Amino acid sequence: WERLAPWFDQEMPEGVPAYRDQTVGFHGVIYDLTENPVLSLLTQAVTHIVTQHVLMTMDPVDLRPAIVDDHARLARIVAAGDADEAEEQMAAHFRIQHDHFAARSPARLKESIEWR
């Protein structure tokens, strides 16, 4: 609970570096809370791929407030121990972002990812 508390009531950060730091920090805590090193490593790799392949070229600036709100809601749900609700909310979080990118850059989502 204590590790998630900083994300319960997040303000919208100003500027790209602050936004990315806040988002990466939230994801890092979630990964650590799995207490599963393999799952943590896998999710970190996927996050890195998404960040490099999608966000660096198609940053969803208009989604940032919703993403910050989603993270706050997810932090409270995970801290409460409601696994079913956390799964549902996380799926919705990903679906909204995927739909956003699919509507704006469908060809980009179909590109092969080059690992560098």
Side-chain angles (χ1 to χ4, degrees):
W1 185 92
E2 289 177 13
R3 296 195 53 209
L4 289 166
W7 281 273
F8 290 172
D9 296 305
Q10 285 289 302
E11 296 289 323
M12 184 63 201
E14 292 189 31
V16 174
Y19 171 76
R20 292 232 168 98
D21 287 348
Q22 181 175 317
T23 302
V24 168
F26 172 76
H27 290 163
V29 168
I30 295 295
Y31 303 153
D32 287 346
L33 289 174
T34 66
E35 296 183 353
N36 179 329
V38 174
L39 182 59
S40 179
L41 183 61
L42 176 64
T43 53
Q44 288 178 60
V46 170
T47 298
H48 180 73
I49 290 167
V50 169
T51 300
Q52 294 303 311
H53 183 72
V54 178
L55 299 182
M56 292 303 208
T57 58
M58 302 184 316
D59 191 355
V61 174
D62 51 327
L63 282 182
R64 286 181 188 171
I67 290 170
V68 170
D69 289 346
D70 284 353
H71 289 173
R73 183 173 41 262
L74 285 162
R76 290 189 298 272
I77 292 167
V78 171
D82 190 341
D84 292 336
E85 182 67 13
E87 180 180 358
E88 185 177 313
Q89 291 299 314
M90 184 57 71
H93 178 68
F94 288 135
R95 190 171 37 259
I96 288 166
Q97 292 178 60
H98 178 269
D99 292 350
H100 173 86
F101 292 122
R104 285 158 182 78
S105 301
R108 181 80 170 126
L109 293 180
K110 294 177 182 179
E111 291 177 0
S112 295
I113 295 173
E114 293 182 32
W115 189 270
R116 298 176 191 207

